[in-house]
Amino acid sequence: MYTAELFPLDNFPVGCMVTDDKRRIVYTNRYMEEQYGYSSDELLGADLFVLLSKASQIMYDTYIVPILRQDGQCDEIRLSLRMRSARMQPVVVNMLRDNSGSGQFFWSISSASRSDQLFEELTSTKKLLEQKVSLLRTRSDMDSLTNLPNRSALTRHLDQKIMDRKSGGVAFALAFVDLDGFKEVNDLYGHYMGDKVLQLVAKRLVSNLRSEDLIARFGGDEFVIFLNGQFSASLVEETLSRFINKLAEPFEIDSVQLQLSASIGVTLYPQSNELEPDQLIRQADQAMYQAKLAGKNQVCLFNSDDEDIQKEKYSELSAIRTAMDAGQFELYYQPKVNMRTGKILGLEALIRWNHPEDGLKNPISFLPVLNKTSLGLALGRWVITTALSQLKAWLEQGLDVHVSVNIDGYHLQHPHFLRDLRWIFAGFPGLPKHRFELEVLETSIIEDVKYVYSVLTACRTMGIRISLDDFGTGYSSLSHLRDLSVDTLKVDRSFVKNMLISSGDLAILKGVVGFARAFECDVVAEGVETLQHGQQLIELGFECAQGYYIACPMPAQAFSAWADAWEQHEFRHKFKRIELS
């Protein structure tokens, strides 16, 4: 017989009971009396089945006892227990077999409703704990300012994608984005404004992503974009250029309008060598740095096969930027004159580089590397500003001249060209705009004819004159004349150079004169190098010309002396043998 002294279980919050192999109850604790109405004396020696419903008795014989004999324990079994009042109470029991060989079973009995409540509480607690863990994990992977994934989340994402590559054809592009001019925002307006800008930048970038792409804030004003899929160089540059354009749109924060841009470097995966995530990020970062050196506000593709060439290119761009900062560039001017009257009509501005080691460098040695770069755009703005400043000075000296500058197609196609041009002219109030002329390369405007036409039309509306340079060398000369209103045609020097020996070039020149008359525009012949060139051109109907026979390009300070000499004796000396009708 078991006693409470041997089993001090009366204070347990569940029912405790011991039965033998004859189904006799040999012990119950106080909980059994308090919860189910039985005293210990009533149950001691009683058959277990007095407590169990018929279904529970069957469950005991057919399932519980075999399990106990085989496994030694039986957990979380739902039975129906008959209370002292004869009402059936659902309970949950856990049972354990005594391993000493006594054949006894130890019971733990609790209310099924309480067990369900505890289970619900535990489930709820588990869910809450999982939510807390998930939140903590999310916060550790999330940038708190922009709510974008952070650097560690990006690294894990790349790890997984690279692992996936081993089992399938995974390909992607990785772009490193750095804002241009962000430091100035913080310096001028404080970090509050800087944080607002970063939040808006994040929203713009996210709004242009596909669902399979990912963007992370890498730190500071740096973001990394994961673009899923196979990309060619041209496609990824086109895709990222849309991000460039979006970020170039003004930001308005608390009635303050801010203008920023971004430099983006991008690398493609897979490559010939296996790479770790940090190596890919480093490649994209290096390409972004090259985009900065190239003048910012552009996309640069990391090319492992052409890295040496890229380094050389960016070295040249870096040297040009240094030269701009050091004021090593200068405009030379080549006069345009009327060969019949000798009148000086204007001057064409031509850029030169006063290189500290190589001496005076012509534009052909450095302009090609600037093509379609922000640095090239910046140099173009400098040329226009410097030419206008010189024009203003000459007009104030009483010189009756015009000044023209060459402009390439990619300048005209930049979305901010007209805005920048108006801003430059605003610095020269009162300067007559018709004294300034843009010389557009005829071959450079065919890429986006419709847009360039609209820009040039806007320039003419402002009062600026438009000249179609190198006329006849492009693919659409006649369509340009038909669709685009220009003030001047400039015949390419190649036709003038060979006109004395080529009947074909001579015929082209005759045709150009006819075009100019038909479309009511001026015409200028370039490349007049000898008296014979001048004589022949005049006979064809050309009056305005420029070339080495008239004058070489010269520094601005040399023009006044040249003009005096030209008007006093040089014109008559050079053109005296030409009989003018």
Side-chain angles (χ1 to χ4, degrees):
M1 190 69 64
Y2 290 88
T3 65
E5 287 76 11
L6 294 176
F7 289 87
L9 304 176
D10 284 340
N11 294 325
F12 270 39
V14 295
C16 296
M17 183 169 65
V18 180
T19 59
D20 62 17
D21 56 358
K22 305 294 186 183
R23 290 204 316 252
R24 289 177 300 189
I25 300 172
V26 295
Y27 172 79
T28 61
N29 69 346
R30 189 180 301 161
Y31 184 93
M32 296 292 292
E33 181 178 351
E34 293 174 350
Q35 296 297 321
Y36 305 116
Y38 295 102
S39 67
S40 298
D41 292 339
E42 285 182 276
L43 293 178
L44 289 179
D47 191 316
L48 172 65
F49 279 7
V50 301
L51 293 177
L52 301 181
S53 67
K54 199 68 175 176
S56 297
Q57 294 173 13
I58 296 172
M59 172 74 76
Y60 178 82
D61 281 337
T62 61
Y63 178 76
I64 294 177
V65 172
I67 288 292
L68 287 171
R69 287 174 177 167
Q70 178 179 331
D71 298 334
Q73 65 182 52
C74 191
D75 298 325
E76 301 290 325
I77 302 299
R78 298 178 72 91
L79 302 175
S80 293
L81 187 145
R82 182 180 291 104
M83 300 178 65
R84 186 72 175 78
S85 62
R87 185 170 64 87
M88 303 305 295
Q89 173 74 37
V91 295
V92 174
V93 301
N94 291 276
M95 300 179 65
L96 186 67
R97 186 189 66 200
D98 184 3
N99 291 327
S100 66
S102 65
Q104 295 173 340
F105 302 135
F106 300 96
W107 297 62
S108 166
I109 305 172
S110 59
S111 168
S113 59
R114 175 57 181 162
S115 177
D116 291 343
Q117 180 184 356
L118 288 173
F119 179 77
E120 290 176 2
E121 290 176 357
L122 287 173
T123 302
S124 176
T125 302
K126 180 183 177 183
K127 287 182 179 178
L128 183 60
L129 182 60
E130 288 173 348
Q131 290 173 357
K132 293 289 186 182
V133 171
S134 176
L135 179 61
L136 288 173
R137 183 178 294 114
T138 299
R139 287 180 175 175
S140 67
D141 290 346
M142 194 71 68
D143 173 60
S144 59
L145 178 64
T146 61
N147 289 326
L148 294 178
N150 58 19
R151 183 185 304 198
S152 61
L154 170 71
T155 302
R156 280 200 303 275
H157 186 74
L158 290 177
D159 267 328
Q160 184 59 53
K161 289 297 180 181
I162 292 173
M163 287 293 293
D164 292 345
R165 167 68 183 169
K166 298 176 180 178
S167 58
V170 174
F172 59 84
L174 194 70
F176 200 103
V177 182
D178 185 90
L179 300 181
D180 304 324
F182 181 74
K183 182 178 182 299
E184 287 75 6
V185 173
N186 274 335
D187 292 343
L188 287 173
Y189 302 102
H191 290 283
Y192 166 80
M193 186 71 77
D195 288 347
K196 288 290 186 182
V197 168
L198 293 175
Q199 290 171 340
L200 291 177
V201 166
K203 287 181 180 179
R204 283 192 189 178
L205 293 173
V206 169
S207 66
N208 285 276
L209 285 179
R210 304 169 302 173
S211 59
E212 64 265 33
D213 299 333
L214 178 140
I215 180 169
R217 185 185 177 203
F218 200 69
D221 61 336
E222 298 172 334
F223 299 84
V224 175
I225 303 174
F226 173 91
L227 299 172
N228 193 56
Q230 186 76 46
F231 285 88
S232 64
S234 58
L235 179 58
V236 75
E237 288 179 354
E238 177 185 342
T239 300
L240 292 171
S241 291
R242 291 198 290 270
F243 288 96
I244 291 279
N245 293 334
K246 275 294 179 184
L247 294 179
E249 294 175 2
F251 294 90
E252 187 167 338
I253 304 171
D254 298 338
S255 301
V256 176
Q257 195 170 75
L258 301 173
Q259 191 80 43
L260 293 174
S261 60
S263 298
I264 301 181
V266 59
T267 189
L268 302 179
Y269 184 88
Q271 298 179 18
S272 56
N273 297 322
E274 285 299 322
L275 297 170
E276 296 296 325
D278 61 330
Q279 292 175 293
L280 287 170
I281 294 172
R282 189 161 56 249
Q283 286 183 355
D285 184 28
Q286 289 173 2
M288 181 278 296
Y289 178 70
Q290 301 304 336
K292 291 279 190 185
L293 290 179
K296 305 178 182 180
N297 194 39
Q298 61 186 284
V299 178
C300 180
L301 176 66
F302 180 86
N303 189 337
S304 56
D305 298 327
D306 199 25
E307 195 169 359
D308 291 338
I309 295 176
Q310 292 294 325
K311 285 181 179 179
E312 182 179 352
K313 174 183 177 181
Y314 297 127
S315 176
E316 293 177 20
L317 291 172
S318 181
I320 292 172
R321 175 172 290 281
T322 300
M324 288 180 65
D325 295 339
Q328 295 174 5
F329 289 102
E330 180 182 2
L331 291 186
Y332 275 47
Y333 297 86
Q334 187 174 35
K336 306 172 190 176
V337 303
N338 187 308
M339 295 184 294
R340 284 186 175 274
T341 67
K343 179 177 174 59
I344 301 171
L345 303 174
L347 303 99
E348 179 182 0
L350 302 164
I351 192 169
R352 299 290 187 268
W353 182 356
N354 292 303
H355 197 281
E357 297 175 0
D358 301 337
L360 192 67
K361 299 182 69 170
N362 287 323
I364 191 62
S365 66
F366 59 86
L367 286 186
V369 75
L370 290 169
N371 186 44
K372 297 183 180 179
T373 68
S374 294
L375 189 59
L377 295 172
L379 190 60
R381 291 190 290 269
W382 176 86
V383 168
I384 293 174
T385 304
T386 305
L388 289 175
S389 179
Q390 187 59 60
L391 174 61
K392 180 175 181 290
W394 280 331
L395 293 177
E396 289 173 349
Q397 294 171 21
L399 297 175
D400 182 18
V401 295
H402 295 70
V403 169
S404 64
V405 300
N406 294 287
I407 193 81
D408 210 336
Y410 77 91
H411 293 260
L412 298 172
Q413 294 177 72
H414 192 274
H416 297 154
F417 176 77
L418 285 174
R419 183 202 67 182
D420 293 343
L421 190 62
R422 293 188 181 99
W423 181 82
I424 292 172
F425 267 100
F428 300 92
L431 185 70
K433 294 185 178 66
H434 69 277
R435 295 277 184 173
F436 182 72
E437 185 173 71
L438 291 175
E439 295 193 12
V440 184
L441 286 174
E442 192 265 339
T443 53
S444 72
I445 66 173
I446 63 175
E447 294 181 4
D448 192 349
V449 174
K450 185 176 179 180
Y451 180 75
V452 170
Y453 282 178
S454 69
V455 171
L456 294 178
T457 299
C459 289
R460 295 192 82 223
T461 301
M462 292 169 60
I464 297 169
R465 290 173 59 85
I466 302 298
S467 172
L468 198 56
D469 199 6
D470 294 344
F471 182 74
T473 59
Y475 302 99
S476 309
S477 300
L478 294 181
S479 65
H480 289 332
L481 282 178
R482 180 193 63 202
D483 301 329
L484 174 63
S485 296
V486 298
D487 300 288
T488 306
L489 296 182
K490 291 192 72 177
V491 183
D492 184 63
R493 67 183 70 251
S494 63
F495 300 118
V496 175
K497 178 181 179 181
N498 297 320
M499 62 182 289
L500 301 177
I501 58 174
S502 171
S503 58
D505 286 347
L506 191 63
I508 289 174
L509 291 172
K510 290 178 182 178
V512 172
V513 172
F515 294 148
R517 289 171 181 167
F519 289 97
E520 299 181 343
C521 56
D522 299 330
V523 62
V524 178
E526 294 182 304
V528 178
E529 297 181 354
T530 67
L531 177 64
Q532 290 75 22
H533 285 108
Q535 175 74 58
Q536 185 72 71
L537 287 168
I538 290 175
E539 291 177 2
L540 291 174
F542 289 88
E543 292 189 358
C544 184
Q546 69 184 96
Y548 281 17
Y549 182 69
I550 298 168
C552 296
M554 64 190 74
Q557 60 270 23
F559 173 65
S560 294
W562 177 88
D564 290 340
W566 175 263
E567 292 173 348
Q568 291 176 15
H569 57 83
E570 280 294 312
F571 169 64
R572 290 189 298 274
H573 173 71
K574 289 191 173 183
F575 287 87
K576 65 182 179 180
R577 286 178 286 171
I578 297 180
E579 294 186 12
L580 305 175
S581 59

